[in-house]
Amino acid sequence: MSEPRFDSLAFDEIPRPHFADVIVRPLPPGVTLDPAEWADAIFSPEGAPRWVRAAFILREALVPLIGVPRGSPDTFTVARVEGEEAVIVAPDTHLFFCCAVGVDPRRRLVRVTTTVRLHGWRGRLYFAPVKLVHPVVVQSMLRRASRTLHRRARAR
């Protein structure tokens, strides 16, 4: 029996995370297999569901109250692509966030792996509510990106 595999570049960036999750979705027919295109579609502010955009606006209004910096437009920019994964890294004063978007063409799956390392009380306070909604937010963003990329593939 072979050893189980559970690997992602997100765990190379943050080997011992305080928080981690993995969201997987089937690939629609004909969509791109480029993980960077998937990452861009998932984290595109214009492509995010309205309620997710509203949550980000609320985040931006509240974080200064605990001394956490506001987000920047390039926070979710792909830092590098290695093999099947596009990696986004966002080190900050309150936490270190990493997300790896992987595409598995053989299994016809797209996977979003998130790892987070918290820094101090601000990181713990900030992330307490975030960890509750994070899986739902990522599932929603991935579902939306899947529909967008599927529409683009059909239009070609």
Side-chain angles (χ1 to χ4, degrees):
M1 183 167 162
S2 66
E3 288 186 32
R5 292 183 349 171
F6 188 81
D7 204 12
S8 170
L9 295 171
F11 292 107
D12 290 348
E13 290 290 333
I14 305 175
R16 298 180 53 89
H18 291 119
F19 172 87
D21 68 9
V22 180
I23 308 295
V24 179
R25 184 166 181 83
L27 282 172
V31 295
T32 181
L33 301 178
D34 180 345
E37 286 185 52
W38 273 94
D40 290 343
I42 292 166
F43 290 103
S44 161
E46 303 80 34
R50 271 191 220 122
W51 73 270
V52 171
R53 283 183 284 184
F56 278 112
I57 289 168
L58 181 61
R59 178 222 183 267
E60 292 302 293
L62 295 177
V63 294
L65 300 175
I66 62 167
V68 169
R70 288 192 166 106
S72 105
D74 64 345
T75 297
F76 299 111
T77 301
V78 172
R80 71 181 191 282
V81 176
E82 284 185 38
E84 70 178 21
E85 286 186 303
V87 180
I88 296 166
V89 291
D92 212 327
T93 58
H94 62 298
L95 58 76
F96 180 23
F97 162 87
C98 180
C99 179
V101 177
V103 177
D104 184 338
R106 188 171 65 81
R107 291 186 177 89
R108 303 288 310 154
L109 298 170
V110 59
R111 175 188 73 239
V112 179
T113 305
T114 304
T115 55
V116 177
R117 186 87 183 155
L118 304 173
H119 302 310
W121 69 268
R122 284 182 177 88
R124 289 189 300 279
L125 180 61
Y126 168 81
F127 206 70
V130 172
K131 73 179 173 188
L132 298 174
V133 298
H134 187 269
V136 175
V137 168
V138 174
Q139 286 173 9
S140 180
M141 292 167 64
L142 182 55
R143 196 170 30 252
R144 183 72 164 255
S146 184
R147 284 194 305 264
T148 299
L149 292 173
H150 188 229
R151 270 195 308 276
R152 283 185 200 161
R154 284 194 325 240
R156 283 187 249 152

